């Protein structure tokens, strides 16, 4: 491995990269620029992520200097508030044949066919099921429903798209009619419409899903996102980004859309008036140079659109993934790397206001630590989280408002319930519990989960 950087990848000659974590910059100069607020270069980011590319391993003293600079920048940009949203994850299907090596969420689509006689632990939800799930969650006070799903072969954008796909004779276009499956997932427009209940904010349709929703046509991404927006889509999650460097994507997700396609789709979503987010999924085969290049591409996208509401670093969860099972990685990012990823994201992305710490990926303790490394958002209540769980994550599926308030106040910060776009905010006080959401369409302050009363021990027989 290159000096100054550790990663979970095994030494494998098939994974040699053109981009390496070296630069002509010095750590001291990069740190000085970060402290001054000067716009950083890729070389600067490499130096900060590695705590100096001219030395082996991460330097603890230098790491703390980077974290301190990022925390100061966070305080200057957003102050002492830590935000979170009352939300639900409603992933529609696990059926997917893309074959990304970092993912264990997917299930081979053939297993969902009506005549399949083998076992299938996955799921597909019809639009009516999605509506029922969201309707129930609205009574619990959610503001947002987030939906990210596998690429089911029966999915079409809408009825017009289905007619095109059914008339198409092209083996390279993945499509199987819905009557071949036990559950009909409907169309993307039907699913978005089903989840758009009583003004809930619908956060869905990644660039990868948008690519699937235009296959076999000459439609542009603006046409796809315009139809989805008209069906009730409010904002687009910037997942499926992984690492926006072609040589890394070829190694971990060769069947997925490329870097430029991802950027084109996100810009199109912004052009039709949708807010977007951006992510990085790191800690697998990539190195610090790839992480820095990814940050540059996100910053340039924000320069062009101004539509990115938050940046979300996602540490790779490895135990149940093909990358780990095939021996291509022996673990994920270290805690030091996680902290530096958050910090350098804050320092490099000078045009993105909010940096998120994911308790699903980091856990509560480390997630709180990230809030002292440059992050200011602490994700959402979730209610359901299948993707990380199926990859081997073990940090739970829900956080209540009382838990949020107590955790955030424990580090001396101010807990704030927010809307998806951060424009609506409500400060909380742990001493006012039990706490519940107030910003959602049906929210009335009732706790999302009722407190569990302690039962007296059973009497001896």
């Amino acid at each position: 491995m290159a000096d100054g950087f550790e990663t979970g990848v095994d030494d494998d000659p098939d994974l040699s990269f053109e981009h390496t974590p070296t630069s002509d910059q010095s750590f001291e100069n990069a740190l000085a620029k970060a402290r001054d607020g000067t716009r950083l270069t890729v070389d600067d980011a490499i130096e900060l992520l590695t705590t100096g590319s001219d030395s082996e391993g991460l330097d603890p003293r230098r790491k703390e200097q980077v974290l301190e600079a990022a925390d100061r920048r966070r305080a200057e940009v957003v102050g002492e508030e830590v935000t979170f949203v009352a939300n639900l994850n409603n992933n529609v299907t696990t059926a997917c044949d893309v074959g990304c090596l970092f993912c264990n969420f997917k299930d081979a689509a053939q297993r969902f066919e009506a005549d399949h006689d083998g076992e299938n632990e996955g799921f597909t939800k019809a639009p009516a099921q999605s509506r029922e799930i969201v309707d129930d969650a609205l009574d619990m006070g959610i503001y947002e429903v987030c939906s990210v799903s596998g690429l089911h072969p029966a999915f079409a954008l809408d009825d017009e798209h289905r007619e095109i796909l059914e008339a198409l004779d092209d083996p390279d276009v993945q499509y199987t009619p819905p009557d071949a499956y036990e559950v009909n997932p409907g169309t993307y427009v039907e699913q978005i419409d089903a989840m758009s209940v009583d003004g809930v904010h619908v956060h869905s349709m990644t660039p990868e899903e948008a690519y699937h929703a235009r296959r076999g046509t000459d439609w542009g991404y603006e046409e796809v996102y315009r139809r989805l927006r008209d069906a009730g889509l409010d904002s687009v999650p910037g997942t499926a980004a992984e690492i926006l460097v072609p040589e890394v994507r070829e190694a971990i997700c060769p069947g997925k859309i490329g870097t430029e396609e991802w950027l084109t789709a996100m810009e199109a979503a912004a052009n039709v008036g949708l807010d977007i987010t951006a992510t990085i999924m790191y800690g697998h085969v990539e190195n610090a140079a790839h992480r820095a290049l990814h940050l540059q591409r996100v910053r340039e996208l924000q320069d062009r659109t101004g539509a990115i509401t938050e940046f979300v670093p996602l540490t790779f969860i490895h135990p149940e993934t093909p990358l780990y099972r095939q021996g291509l990685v022996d673990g994920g990012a270290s805690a030091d790397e996680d902290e530096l990823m958050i910090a350098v994201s804050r320092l490099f992305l000078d045009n993105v206001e909010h940096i998120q710490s994911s308790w699903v990926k980091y856990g509560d303790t480390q997630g709180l630590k990230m809030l002292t490394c440059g992050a200011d958002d602490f994700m959402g209540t979730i209610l359901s989280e299948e993707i990380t769980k199926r990859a081997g994550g073990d940090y739970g599926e829900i956080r209540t408002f009382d838990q949020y308030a107590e955790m955030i106040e424990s580090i001396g910060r101010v807990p704030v319930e927010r809307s998806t776009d951060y424009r609506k905010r409500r400060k909380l006080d742990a001493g006012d519990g039990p706490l519940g959401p107030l910003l959602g369409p049906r929210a009335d302050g009732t706790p999302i989960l009722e407190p569990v009363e302690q039962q007296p021990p059973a009497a001896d027989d």
Side-chain angles (χ1 to χ4, degrees):
M1 304 316 308
D3 289 347
F5 186 77
E6 297 177 358
T7 187
V9 66
D10 288 330
D11 291 327
D12 186 335
D14 293 332
L15 291 178
S16 58
F17 292 123
E18 174 186 352
H19 297 288
T20 59
T22 58
S23 84
D24 294 329
Q25 175 63 286
S26 70
F27 172 82
E28 289 76 16
N29 285 342
L31 180 64
K33 289 174 65 176
R35 287 170 168 169
D36 291 343
T38 302
R39 176 163 273 203
L40 302 179
T41 66
V42 168
D43 278 356
D44 294 327
I46 290 172
E47 291 303 309
L48 298 176
L49 286 165
T50 59
T51 63
S53 63
D54 58 348
S55 59
E56 186 174 353
L58 294 175
D59 183 298
R61 181 184 61 82
R62 286 180 168 184
K63 186 199 83 166
E64 290 305 317
Q65 291 175 326
V66 177
L67 303 191
E68 289 168 7
D71 195 43
R72 285 197 298 272
R73 180 69 53 77
R74 181 270 310 160
E76 293 167 1
V77 173
V78 294
E80 299 304 311
E81 294 184 350
V82 173
T83 52
F84 62 93
V85 63
N87 67 345
L88 161 77
N89 267 14
N90 178 53
N91 303 315
V92 171
T93 181
T94 61
C96 191
D97 291 328
V98 176
C100 300
L101 297 180
F102 57 82
C103 178
N104 199 47
F105 175 69
K106 63 186 178 298
D107 295 287
Q110 186 180 8
R111 297 180 185 177
F112 294 82
E113 294 180 2
D115 59 0
H116 179 68
D117 58 4
E119 294 184 3
N120 181 15
E121 297 180 356
F123 60 86
T124 296
K125 301 168 187 173
Q129 289 177 275
S130 290
R131 178 169 285 269
E132 182 178 359
I133 289 168
V134 174
D135 192 55
D136 288 345
L138 276 166
D139 287 338
M140 300 173 70
I142 67 164
Y143 183 92
E144 166 197 295
V145 54
C146 177
S147 182
V148 176
S149 298
L151 305 184
H152 197 298
F155 256 141
L157 175 60
D158 53 18
D159 291 339
E160 181 184 357
H161 188 212
R162 190 173 302 287
E163 289 179 8
I164 293 171
L165 290 171
E166 290 182 346
L168 202 62
D169 184 17
D170 185 347
D172 292 331
V173 176
Q174 182 199 43
Y175 177 72
T176 305
D179 57 12
Y181 297 94
E182 288 188 356
V183 178
N184 181 354
T187 66
Y188 283 114
V189 161
E190 287 171 340
Q191 285 284 354
I192 295 297
D193 179 70
M195 288 185 278
S196 186
V197 182
D198 286 356
V200 72
H201 185 105
V202 181
H203 183 61
S204 187
M205 293 303 297
T206 71
E208 187 73 21
E209 291 173 289
Y211 176 84
H212 197 59
R214 62 183 284 272
R215 69 197 189 283
T217 75
D218 59 0
W219 298 340
Y221 284 104
E222 286 191 19
E223 178 65 25
V224 171
Y225 277 119
R226 187 176 294 110
R227 296 189 189 195
L228 293 165
R229 180 202 63 194
D230 292 346
L233 182 66
D234 296 296
S235 61
V236 176
T239 49
E242 325 318 348
I243 299 290
L244 293 172
V245 181
E247 63 181 2
V248 176
R249 299 182 80 80
E250 281 298 313
I252 66 172
C253 53
K256 212 164 195 174
I257 62 172
T259 296
E260 292 305 317
E261 189 102 20
W262 188 94
L263 292 167
T264 297
M266 294 303 277
E267 190 161 353
N271 287 344
V272 301
L274 296 168
D275 284 336
I276 60 178
T277 64
T279 66
I280 181 172
M281 195 272 292
Y282 66 94
H284 37 88
V285 306
E286 91 295 343
N287 60 47
H290 298 126
R291 298 179 190 183
L293 287 165
H294 181 103
L295 290 175
Q296 181 186 46
R297 281 157 190 167
V298 170
R299 189 173 69 185
E300 289 171 349
L301 175 65
Q302 182 72 330
D303 281 341
R304 295 193 299 272
T305 68
I308 300 174
T309 57
E310 66 190 16
F311 183 69
V312 188
L314 301 169
T315 194
F316 173 57
I317 305 298
H318 70 277
E320 301 298 330
T321 64
L323 277 175
Y324 180 68
R325 292 197 302 267
Q326 294 176 19
L328 294 173
V329 300
D330 56 17
S334 68
D336 287 337
E337 290 176 86
D338 287 334
E339 292 164 12
L340 284 166
M341 189 70 246
I342 291 282
V344 179
S345 297
R346 169 60 72 187
L347 295 167
F348 193 92
L349 298 176
D350 52 19
N351 53 3
V352 177
E353 190 171 0
H354 303 289
I355 306 295
Q356 186 176 102
S357 170
S358 169
W359 58 259
V360 170
K361 301 294 185 182
Y362 302 125
D364 290 343
T365 301
Q366 188 64 9
L368 286 171
K369 175 63 185 297
M370 299 305 188
L371 296 172
T372 69
C373 302
D376 69 296
D377 185 73
F378 208 15
M379 207 177 179
T381 55
I382 298 299
L383 296 185
S384 174
E385 214 304 307
E386 296 104 347
I387 297 175
T388 295
K389 181 171 62 177
R390 286 166 68 99
D394 57 3
Y395 291 124
E397 298 177 54
I398 186 169
R399 292 295 177 272
T400 68
F401 271 49
D402 286 308
Q403 289 172 325
Y404 263 123
E406 291 171 7
M407 286 190 293
I408 293 166
E409 289 185 356
S410 75
I411 61 169
R413 304 274 283 281
V414 180
V416 175
E417 178 189 7
R418 66 165 171 89
S419 59
T420 304
D421 60 11
Y422 292 83
R423 295 180 179 97
K424 297 178 182 177
R425 295 166 178 263
R426 166 202 166 212
K427 293 182 180 180
L428 291 88
D429 186 334
D432 294 338
L435 299 167
L438 277 177
L439 299 183
R442 297 183 197 163
D444 61 5
T446 301
I448 286 180
L449 293 180
E450 294 296 336
V452 177
E453 294 184 6
Q454 293 293 324
Q455 299 298 321
D460 292 336
D461 291 336

